Amino acid sequence: MVKKSHGYRARTRSLMSKKVRTRGIQPLSNVLIDYEEKQRVNIVIDPAFHKGMPHRRYQGKTGVITGKRGRAYIVEVSLGKATKTLIIRPEHLRPNRG
């Protein structure tokens, strides 16, 4: 028998997969957006890019940019009563439209 995986990306078949027409790397215009501090962003994980990928529990959450660290951004996200600080690369961020 095969042992069950309890890994970091376990049970993410639908969450970490792209539709057929959107496969491959995303356009550079999405990656080169420069975010300012206190700007609200949505966390949308791009499975084609593994560096700076947040945990799957933060998929779809909205956070606030609090700073920059190298190429990545420091994002504060509320999770229940707690406030979490994440370091996420811009490939996994989208500007909040609301």
Side-chain angles (χ1 to χ4, degrees), residues 2-91:
V2 178
K3 192 172 181 184
K4 183 181 176 187
S5 173
H6 299 284
Y8 190 70
R9 291 179 64 173
R11 294 184 295 277
T12 60
R13 182 184 299 242
S14 62
L15 181 70
M16 298 284 186
S17 62
K18 289 186 166 186
K19 304 293 183 243
V20 175
R21 291 176 191 269
T22 61
R23 289 190 61 170
I25 60 172
Q26 55 180 281
L28 273 176
S29 59
N30 292 353
V31 178
L32 295 177
I33 298 173
D34 200 26
Y35 299 104
E36 293 97 34
E37 286 194 24
K38 297 182 180 153
Q39 183 177 352
R40 293 175 64 85
V41 290
N42 297 331
I43 300 172
V44 181
I45 297 174
D46 182 12
F49 198 83
H50 299 166
K51 266 194 167 181
M53 180 185 286
H55 193 269
R56 58 190 164 89
R57 77 170 59 100
Y58 300 106
Q59 165 73 13
K61 301 277 189 226
T62 301
V64 179
I65 302 276
T66 57
K68 193 167 182 183
R69 185 173 295 183
R71 294 180 186 172
Y73 290 94
I74 302 170
V75 181
E76 285 198 353
V77 179
S78 62
L79 193 67
K81 292 182 180 179
T83 302
K84 303 288 185 172
T85 303
L86 308 174
I87 300 170
I88 305 174
R89 301 252 313 220
E91 290 84 4

